[in-house]
Structures are given as C-alpha cells and as structure tokens.
Amino acid sequence: VQLQASGGGLVPTGGSLRLSCAASGRSFSSHAAAWFRQRPGKEREFVAAITYSGGFADYRDSVKGRFTISRDNAKNTVYLQMSNLKPEDTAVYYCAAVLGAVATTTPGISDYDYWGQGTQVTVSS
C-alpha cells in the first residue's frame, strides 16, 4: 500500500482544512488508518484513527470535537476534516495504515506499517 497525503496549507486561527490520504494498491478497505502529526521540535504524535470499515474512530483529546476522520473505501481515501484550527495544530500531518485492526485506542507509530509523505498545515495566529 502506498499513501499520498494532500490538502495542507496556511489558514487563520479558527479556519478549516480537509486533508486527504489516497491509497494505491488492493485491499485498502482491509486496512485500519490513522493520522499523525509532527509539530515543530516535537515527536510525531497520534491525532485520529479509524477502523478498516469506518465504523469506529478515535481521537487525541486536544482535537476531539474539532477534527473528524472518515474514509471512502470505494475511493481508497481517508480524510481528516479539521475545524476551529488553532496555532498549536501547526504541524506536518502524516497518514498511516496497517492491514487489519489496531489493538489499542491510543495507537502509536509502531502500530502502522505504511506511511504517507506528510502535508504541512500552518495555522496563523
């Protein structure tokens, strides 16, 4: 599976963006997916995850109520809708995937086998 993230950009505080992660290869509908981010000077951190069916999603506390992860398996694409963006959301956002399920509600980097190249999100204050 190869992943291609897109949709990043520069937005003002309170703005919105939708990130997309397009997957190539067969059986993406059998892969759990997630978004991580790496803020300046920080380690990569979990943002949101979704099961392969799209039936369950989980988020880090700081984005709950503002971010929504979704997927369209017919299009082999995972999305991250981000609203009410804050300067602390500024980061490079990465999509990730793994065959099957992730056996935790707080997944880490090692739980995913496939990674996209990252897309920059900058929120101006």
Side-chain angles (χ1 to χ4, degrees):
V1 174
Q2 292 185 319
L3 304 176
Q4 179 77 34
S6 62
L10 173 64
V11 294
T13 297
S16 298
L17 277 176
R18 188 178 79 158
L19 305 183
S20 298
C21 177
S24 61
R26 297 181 296 176
S27 75
F28 182 66
S29 59
S30 300
H31 288 69
W35 288 94
F36 286 74
R37 68 186 180 188
Q38 190 160 12
R39 296 184 285 173
K42 305 289 187 181
E43 294 185 349
R44 196 172 299 189
E45 63 186 16
F46 165 73
V47 175
I50 191 166
T51 54
Y52 56 82
S53 68
F56 179 80
D58 193 31
Y59 303 88
R60 70 179 299 108
D61 287 345
S62 62
V63 308
K64 285 180 179 177
R66 300 188 299 121
F67 291 12
T68 302
I69 188 171
S70 62
R71 67 190 298 161
D72 184 341
N73 284 338
K75 296 182 178 180
N76 281 0
T77 303
V78 175
Y79 305 98
L80 185 68
Q81 177 68 48
M82 305 184 294
S83 302
N84 192 21
L85 283 160
K86 304 176 181 182
E88 53 264 41
D89 295 317
T90 294
V92 178
Y93 283 73
Y94 299 88
C95 57
V98 63
L99 182 64
V102 176
T104 175
T105 56
T106 310
I109 295 171
S110 61
D111 291 307
Y112 294 89
D113 294 328
Y114 305 101
W115 291 84
Q117 85 289 1
T119 184
Q120 176 71 48
V121 172
T122 303
V123 184
S124 62
S125 58

